[in-house]
Amino acid sequence: MKLSEIASILECSIADNDIDIVGINTLKDAKENEISFVSNSKYVKDLENTKAAAVIISENLASKLPANCIPLVTKNPYWSMAILSKYFAPPIEEETLPLPQIGTNSKISPKAEIANGAVIGDNCIILAHVYIGAKSVVGNNTVVYPSVTIYRDCQIGNECIIHANTVIGSDGFGFATNEKGEHKKIYQNGNVVVEDDVEIGSNTSIDRAVFGSTLIKKGTRIDNLVQIGHNCEIGEYSVMVSQSGLAGSTKLGRNVVMGGQAAAAGHLEVAPFSTFAARSGITNSIKEPGKTYAGFPLMGHRQWLKLQAKLARLIK
Amino acid sequence: MKLSEIASILECSIADNDIDIVGINTLKDAKENEISFVSNSKYVKDLENTKAAAVIISENLASKLPANCIPLVTKNPYWSMAILSKYFAPPIEEETLPLPQIGTNSKISPKAEIANGAVIGDNCIILAHVYIGAKSVVGNNTVVYPSVTIYRDCQIGNECIIHANTVIGSDGFGFATNEKGEHKKIYQNGNVVVEDDVEIGSNTSIDRAVFGSTLIKKGTRIDNLVQIGHNCEIGEYSVMVSQSGLAGSTKLGRNVVMGGQAAAAGHLEVAPFSTFAARSGITNSIKEPGKTYAGFPLMGHRQWLKLQAKLARLIK
Amino acid sequence: MKLSEIASILECSIADNDIDIVGINTLKDAKENEISFVSNSKYVKDLENTKAAAVIISENLASKLPANCIPLVTKNPYWSMAILSKYFAPPIEEETLPLPQIGTNSKISPKAEIANGAVIGDNCIILAHVYIGAKSVVGNNTVVYPSVTIYRDCQIGNECIIHANTVIGSDGFGFATNEKGEHKKIYQNGNVVVEDDVEIGSNTSIDRAVFGSTLIKKGTRIDNLVQIGHNCEIGEYSVMVSQSGLAGSTKLGRNVVMGGQAAAAGHLEVAPFSTFAARSGITNSIKEPGKTYAGFPLMGHRQWLKLQAKLARLIK
C-alpha cells in the first residue's frame, strides 16, 4: 500500500516520497517497510530507535522522530491506527491458496473444514466440525477434538491435544475509543503459536496477537473455560486451572500455576515457578521466582491466611 | 389455544367465555389475546392495568384483577406458568418455512446450517459449522465465525462480528421449583436482538429472553467467555471484558465498562458511563452516571483502595 | 495386556506369574483383573482391602500389600500410572463398531456426527454440528442443540436439554509432574453420566472421570459457562448458576444451589439443600444440610453481611 494512500485514508498530508508500506507494527518491531504509531507516552522512548518507514503521531511528538522516518500527524493516533489496521487485515479465507496439505496417516473427519493454505502434519486426528484456517499449521501426532476453531495463520505444535469447542486465534479485544465514546476495531493481524506437548481443555479462548504472536510454550497444561488475551506468553510447563484468565500482553515464566478463577491484569511479567491460589488477582509483576500467592489484592499465601484469621476475629 | 384447554392443562376451572390465547407475557406487556400470571407480590401493582385476557393467579389475589380479565386460580401460579410455557414454545425448526433467504454477495460456507425461515443480508461471511435458526435475521456486512450458534427468532444487525463458538439465543436459566424441590422449565419464548456495529468474542453466551428481547445495543464490545442472562439490556458502546457476567434482566446504560470477571446481580439498572474494575460485584442499581467502582460488595474505587490499605495494615 | 508388558513399560521387574490386566483403577474400585497404584499417603489405608491384581507402589510401601497382590515398585508411582494410563485409553473412534442406532421418531441433522457404536433413543432432536462419540447413549425425548460435543462412552438420560456448544466428557485436568517440572498426561478413561430431566446451558464443560463416572443426577439445572471437574457428583435437583465451577471429585448433595461465579475446591462433600451466594468459595466440606453461605473464605451468609458492615466502618 502506498504511503500516499495511507495519508489519504487518515486525512493527513505527507511531506515526502511515496514509498510502499507492507504492514503496521509496534515502534520496536516495525521493519523498514512498515508503518508504526505512538499513542501512549510510555512508548515515546521507543521513537528514537524505530526502524519504521513512517509513524502516525500527534503534532507535539513529531519532532522526536528519527530523521529518516516520515511523520503522519493526526489528532488521535490510536484511532488512526485502528482505522488503518483494517487495510492490512488479510481476508478470512483465500480460495486462491493451495488445497490443504495433509501428512501421512492423519485422519481428518469429512465434517471438519480445513481451509486452503492450511498444513496438517502426520498421524493427526482431526474430528468432526473442527475448523482450521488459512495458512494455519498443525504439527505431528496432534489431536483436535470436535468443534475446535483455529483461526488463520496460527501454529500448533507436535503431540498437542486440543479439547472440544476451544477457540485458538480469535481476535484480541482491541479497539480505540473517541471522545464521543464510540469504538473503532483494531484488526488483530498477529497469530497464536502453540508449541509441542501442550494440552488445552474445552471451551477455552486463546486470542491472536494484535502484532506478533500470542505464545503458549511447550508442555503447558490449560484447563476448560480459560481466557488468554492477545499477546500473552505462557512459559514452559505452566498450568492454568479452569476459569482462570490473563488480560493482554501478560507473560508467565515457566512452571507458573494459576489456580481456578485466578486472573492477571495486562502487561505484567510473572517470575517462573510462581504459584497462585484459586481466585488470586494479580495486578503487579512478580519478580522473585518460586513463591506462593493468594487473594485480591494479591499477597503472600501466608499473609492471606493471617488476614483471614484477623477478619474472622473481627466478626466475633 | 383455547382458554378452556389452558384451564384443563392447569387443572383449574374458568367461569367465563372460551377465547383464543396466542401467547404468555408479563402483566405489563401482555396484549388482549395473551395470558399472564402473577407470582410475586412485587408485580401485584401491575395487575390493575394489565391488558391480558386472563391471568394465572393465587386465590387471595384474584379479586385485584380488572373486571374484564379472567382469573385462572392455581396454588402455585409460577409453576402453572412454567407448565403452560411449553405449549407456547415454537418448534426448534420448521421445515414448512421458506428456504433461507441470502443477500447478494454473501458467502455462506456449505458446512454452515441456515435453517428455513432465516434471512441473511448482503456481503456477509458465514463460516463453517455456524448454525442460524428459524426466522433469525442477520444484517449486512456481518461476519459470523465458525461454530457460532444463533438460535431461532434472533436478530443480528449490520457490521457485526461474532467470534467462534459463541452462542446467541440459548434459553435463559428459568424454572419454577415446587415444595419438593423439583424444577419445571420455563420455556424461553423471547429472543435476542443485537444492534449494528457490535463485536462479540469467542465462547460467549447471550441468553434469549423469557418474554420480549435480550437487547445488545449498537457499538457494544463483548469479549470472550462472557455471560449475559435473559432479558438483559446492554447500552450503546458498552464494554464487557472477558469472563464478566450479568444475571437476568439487568440493564446497563451506554458506555458502561465491566472489567474482567466483574459481575452484576439480576434486575439492576446501571447508569451510563459507569466503570467497574475487574472482579467488581454489583448488587444494587447505580443511579449516578460516570463513576468508577470496585470490590465485592461494591464501593467507590477510591474507597476500595483505602480499604485495602487498611487491611494491609491489619496484618503488619 | 500382560503384566509383564506393563512391567516392561514401567521399567520395573515382577517376581511372579504373568497375568492379564484389563484396566487401571483406584485401590478401592479395582477388580481382580485390574492394576492400581498408590501415590498419596491418604490412600495407604485402602491398600489392605484392594482386590487389584497388581499395584504400582514405592519401595517403602510395598510390604503393606495384601499377600495375593503383586507389587510393581517404581520411584514415582503417580508418574508411572500416568505413563500406563495411555495404554488403557480406548481409541477416540472405532470404525469397527456397529453403525449408530437411532430410535423411532428421532430427528438427527445430517450435519451432526454420530459415531459408530452410539445409541440414540426415541423422539430426540439432535441438531447440526453435534458430535456424539463412540458407545455414548442418549435417552428418549432429549434435545441436543448445535455444536454440542459429547465424547465417547458417556450416558445422557431421558427428557434432557443440552444447549449449544456445551462439552460433555472432555478429559479431566489430570497429569503427573516430575522433579524437572514436566507433566505427563493421565488419560481419563472414565465417563460422564447425566441422569433424566437435566438441563445444561451453553458453553458449559463437564469433564469425564479419570476412573468411574462424573455423575449429574436427575432434575439438575446447570447454567452457561459452568465448569464441572472430573469425578464430581451433582445431587438431584441441584442448581449451578452461570460461571460457577467445581474442582475434581467434589460431591454436592441434592438441591444444592451454587450462585453465579461460586466455586468449590476438589474432594469436598456438600450437604443437601446448602445454598451458596454468588462468588462463594468453598474450601471445606459442609456437613450440616440446609444452610446458606457466602464469601471466600466461606462463612455463614449472615456472618458475611456482618463482616461487610464492619469493613465498611473501617473506611469511614
Side-chain angles (χ1 to χ4, degrees):
Chain A
M1 191 174 200
K2 288 283 174 198
L3 189 60
S4 58
E5 292 175 71
I6 291 173
S8 158
I9 287 163
L10 302 183
E11 298 175 5
C12 61
S13 59
I14 46 164
D16 221 315
N17 57 359
D18 197 13
I19 55 177
D20 254 328
I21 299 293
V22 305
I24 319 183
N25 213 330
T26 59
L27 288 170
K28 260 191 175 165
D29 292 335
K31 300 195 191 86
E32 287 82 352
N33 52 7
E34 292 183 318
I35 189 167
S36 189
F37 62 99
V38 61
S39 61
N40 185 321
S41 57
K42 205 162 66 166
Y43 297 110
V44 170
K45 63 175 172 29
D46 295 335
L47 273 174
E48 60 178 319
N49 292 316
T50 190
K51 288 177 189 157
V55 169
I56 309 170
I57 198 164
S58 59
E59 194 156 17
N60 63 324
L61 290 173
S63 65
K64 303 209 171 177
L65 273 183
N68 57 340
C69 179
I70 303 167
L72 272 79
V73 173
T74 74
K75 278 196 181 155
N76 183 344
Y78 199 58
W79 185 270
S80 302
M81 184 271 284
I83 290 173
L84 196 60
S85 67
K86 185 173 185 171
Y87 293 84
F88 289 104
I92 296 169
E93 294 185 336
E94 296 180 65
E95 281 164 32
T96 57
L97 288 172
L99 288 175
Q101 193 180 317
I102 312 291
T104 58
N105 206 25
S106 281
K107 203 180 141 194
I108 315 288
S109 165
K111 282 180 177 145
E113 172 81 358
I114 315 291
N116 281 358
V119 178
I120 313 288
D122 302 338
N123 309 310
C124 288
I125 301 176
I126 310 285
L127 289 142
H129 320 316
V130 165
Y131 177 87
I132 295 178
K135 293 189 178 174
S136 277
V137 175
V138 174
N140 301 322
N141 309 312
T142 281
V143 176
V144 185
Y145 277 95
S147 293
V148 165
T149 299
I150 298 172
Y151 281 56
R152 65 168 295 157
D153 298 320
C154 293
Q155 294 169 35
I156 311 293
N158 303 310
E159 327 278 346
C160 290
I161 300 174
I162 304 174
H163 284 285
N165 296 52
T166 273
V167 177
I168 293 176
S170 45
D171 282 0
F173 200 52
F175 48 86
T177 303
N178 69 10
E179 71 289 343
K180 291 181 199 161
E182 297 161 346
H183 310 301
K184 177 73 73 183
K185 178 177 178 67
I186 298 170
Y187 280 75
Q188 306 284 306
N189 299 331
N191 72 348
V192 176
V193 174
V194 175
E195 294 185 352
D196 298 345
D197 180 29
V198 169
E199 182 164 357
I200 302 173
S202 55
N203 283 317
T204 276
S205 291
I206 302 178
D207 278 350
R208 69 197 302 107
V210 52
F211 311 114
S213 298
T214 302
L215 177 57
I216 314 295
K217 291 196 174 173
K218 73 169 178 188
T220 289
R221 294 293 182 264
I222 297 172
D223 202 351
N224 307 330
L225 295 159
V226 170
Q227 153 72 3
I228 297 177
H230 50 179
N231 293 80
C232 283
E233 196 176 306
I234 315 286
E236 290 91 342
Y237 306 108
S238 284
V239 171
M240 293 191 70
V241 178
S242 180
Q243 298 178 324
S244 62
L246 299 183
S249 299
T250 282
K251 293 184 185 355
L252 306 183
R254 66 165 289 183
N255 281 91
V256 168
V257 177
M258 300 275 294
Q261 298 188 343
H267 297 273
L268 305 180
E269 300 205 10
V270 174
F273 296 96
S274 300
T275 296
F276 300 94
R279 222 176 259 173
S280 296
I282 314 170
T283 54
N284 290 295
S285 288
I286 303 285
K287 285 172 187 171
E288 209 183 340
K291 303 278 183 188
T292 300
Y293 304 88
F296 177 55
L298 194 76
M299 55 192 85
H301 189 246
R302 277 190 200 170
Q303 268 188 301
W304 187 81
L305 292 173
K306 210 164 134 187
L307 174 60
Q308 301 315 327
K310 292 257 184 192
L311 292 178
R313 244 170 283 152
L314 255 187
I315 45 173
K316 265 176 192 158
Chain B
M1 192 172 199
K2 289 282 174 197
L3 188 61
S4 58
E5 292 175 71
I6 292 174
S8 158
I9 286 162
L10 302 183
E11 299 175 3
C12 58
S13 59
I14 47 162
D16 221 316
N17 57 359
D18 196 13
I19 54 177
D20 253 327
I21 299 292
V22 306
I24 318 183
N25 213 330
T26 59
L27 288 170
K28 262 191 175 164
D29 292 334
K31 299 193 192 88
E32 286 82 352
N33 52 6
E34 291 183 318
I35 190 168
S36 190
F37 63 97
V38 60
S39 60
N40 186 321
S41 56
K42 207 163 62 168
Y43 297 109
V44 170
K45 62 175 171 31
D46 295 336
L47 274 175
E48 58 178 319
N49 292 315
T50 191
K51 290 179 187 153
V55 169
I56 308 171
I57 197 163
S58 57
E59 194 156 16
N60 63 323
L61 290 172
S63 64
K64 304 209 171 177
L65 274 183
N68 58 340
C69 180
I70 303 168
L72 272 79
V73 175
T74 72
K75 278 195 182 155
N76 183 343
Y78 200 59
W79 185 270
S80 301
M81 184 271 284
I83 289 173
L84 195 59
S85 67
K86 185 172 184 172
Y87 292 85
F88 289 104
I92 297 169
E93 295 185 335
E94 297 180 65
E95 279 164 35
T96 57
L97 289 172
L99 288 175
Q101 193 180 317
I102 312 291
T104 59
N105 207 22
S106 281
K107 204 180 141 195
I108 315 288
S109 165
K111 283 181 177 143
E113 172 82 358
I114 316 292
N116 280 0
V119 177
I120 312 288
D122 301 338
N123 308 311
C124 288
I125 302 176
I126 310 283
L127 289 142
H129 320 316
V130 166
Y131 177 88
I132 295 179
K135 293 189 177 173
S136 277
V137 176
V138 174
N140 301 322
N141 308 312
T142 282
V143 176
V144 186
Y145 278 94
S147 293
V148 165
T149 299
I150 299 173
Y151 281 55
R152 64 167 296 159
D153 297 319
C154 293
Q155 294 170 33
I156 311 294
N158 303 309
E159 325 279 344
C160 290
I161 301 174
I162 304 174
H163 284 285
N165 296 51
T166 272
V167 177
I168 294 176
S170 45
D171 283 359
F173 199 51
F175 48 85
T177 303
N178 68 11
E179 70 290 344
K180 291 183 199 159
E182 296 162 346
H183 309 301
K184 177 73 70 183
K185 177 176 178 68
I186 297 170
Y187 280 76
Q188 307 283 306
N189 298 330
N191 72 347
V192 176
V193 174
V194 175
E195 293 186 353
D196 297 345
D197 180 29
V198 169
E199 183 165 357
I200 302 173
S202 55
N203 283 317
T204 275
S205 291
I206 303 178
D207 279 350
R208 71 196 302 107
V210 53
F211 311 113
S213 297
T214 302
L215 177 57
I216 313 295
K217 290 195 173 174
K218 75 169 176 187
T220 290
R221 294 294 183 263
I222 298 172
D223 202 351
N224 307 330
L225 296 160
V226 170
Q227 155 72 1
I228 297 178
H230 51 179
N231 293 81
C232 283
E233 195 177 307
I234 315 286
E236 289 91 342
Y237 305 109
S238 284
V239 171
M240 293 192 68
V241 178
S242 179
Q243 298 178 324
S244 61
L246 299 183
S249 300
T250 282
K251 293 186 184 354
L252 305 184
R254 66 165 289 185
N255 280 92
V256 168
V257 177
M258 300 274 296
Q261 300 187 342
H267 297 273
L268 305 180
E269 299 205 12
V270 174
F273 295 95
S274 300
T275 296
F276 300 94
R279 221 176 261 172
S280 297
I282 314 170
T283 53
N284 290 295
S285 287
I286 303 284
K287 287 175 184 169
E288 211 184 339
K291 303 278 182 187
T292 299
Y293 303 88
F296 177 55
L298 195 75
M299 55 192 85
H301 190 245
R302 277 191 201 170
Q303 267 188 302
W304 185 80
L305 292 173
K306 211 165 132 185
L307 174 61
Q308 302 315 326
K310 292 258 184 191
L311 291 179
R313 245 171 281 151
L314 255 189
I315 45 173
K316 264 175 193 159
Chain C
M1 193 173 196
K2 288 282 175 196
L3 188 62
S4 58
E5 291 174 72
I6 291 174
S8 158
I9 287 162
L10 302 182
E11 298 175 5
C12 60
S13 58
I14 46 163
D16 221 314
N17 57 358
D18 195 12
I19 54 177
D20 253 326
I21 300 292
V22 305
I24 319 182
N25 213 329
T26 59
L27 288 171
K28 261 192 177 164
D29 293 333
K31 300 195 191 86
E32 285 82 354
N33 52 6
E34 291 183 318
I35 190 168
S36 189
F37 63 98
V38 59
S39 61
N40 185 321
S41 56
K42 206 164 61 167
Y43 297 109
V44 169
K45 64 175 169 30
D46 295 335
L47 273 175
E48 58 177 321
N49 293 316
T50 191
K51 288 179 187 155
V55 169
I56 307 170
I57 198 163
S58 57
E59 194 158 14
N60 62 322
L61 290 173
S63 65
K64 304 209 171 176
L65 274 183
N68 58 339
C69 179
I70 304 168
L72 271 79
V73 174
T74 74
K75 277 196 183 156
N76 184 343
Y78 199 59
W79 185 269
S80 301
M81 184 271 285
I83 290 174
L84 195 59
S85 67
K86 184 172 185 172
Y87 292 85
F88 288 104
I92 297 170
E93 294 185 336
E94 297 180 64
E95 282 164 34
T96 56
L97 288 172
L99 288 175
Q101 193 180 318
I102 312 292
T104 58
N105 206 25
S106 281
K107 203 180 143 196
I108 315 288
S109 165
K111 282 180 177 145
E113 172 82 359
I114 317 290
N116 280 359
V119 178
I120 313 288
D122 300 338
N123 307 311
C124 288
I125 302 176
I126 310 284
L127 289 143
H129 319 317
V130 166
Y131 178 87
I132 295 179
K135 294 189 176 173
S136 277
V137 176
V138 175
N140 301 322
N141 308 312
T142 282
V143 176
V144 185
Y145 278 95
S147 293
V148 165
T149 300
I150 299 173
Y151 282 55
R152 64 167 297 158
D153 298 320
C154 294
Q155 294 170 32
I156 311 293
N158 302 309
E159 324 279 346
C160 290
I161 300 175
I162 304 173
H163 284 285
N165 295 51
T166 273
V167 178
I168 294 177
S170 45
D171 283 0
F173 199 52
F175 47 87
T177 303
N178 67 11
E179 71 288 344
K180 291 181 198 160
E182 298 161 345
H183 309 302
K184 176 74 69 183
K185 178 179 178 64
I186 297 169
Y187 280 76
Q188 307 283 305
N189 298 331
N191 73 347
V192 176
V193 174
V194 175
E195 294 186 351
D196 297 345
D197 180 29
V198 169
E199 182 164 358
I200 302 173
S202 56
N203 282 318
T204 276
S205 292
I206 303 178
D207 279 349
R208 71 196 302 107
V210 51
F211 312 112
S213 297
T214 302
L215 177 57
I216 315 295
K217 290 195 176 174
K218 73 168 177 187
T220 290
R221 295 292 182 265
I222 298 172
D223 202 351
N224 307 329
L225 296 158
V226 170
Q227 155 72 5
I228 297 178
H230 51 180
N231 293 81
C232 283
E233 195 176 306
I234 316 287
E236 289 91 342
Y237 304 109
S238 284
V239 171
M240 294 192 67
V241 179
S242 179
Q243 297 178 325
S244 61
L246 299 183
S249 301
T250 282
K251 293 186 187 351
L252 305 184
R254 65 165 289 183
N255 280 91
V256 168
V257 178
M258 300 274 296
Q261 298 187 345
H267 297 274
L268 305 181
E269 298 203 13
V270 174
F273 295 96
S274 300
T275 295
F276 300 93
R279 222 176 259 170
S280 296
I282 314 169
T283 53
N284 291 296
S285 288
I286 303 285
K287 286 174 186 168
E288 210 183 340
K291 302 277 181 189
T292 300
Y293 304 88
F296 177 55
L298 194 76
M299 55 192 84
H301 190 247
R302 276 189 201 172
Q303 268 189 303
W304 186 80
L305 292 173
K306 209 164 137 187
L307 174 61
Q308 302 314 326
K310 293 256 182 191
L311 292 178
R313 243 170 284 153
L314 254 189
I315 46 175
K316 263 176 194 160

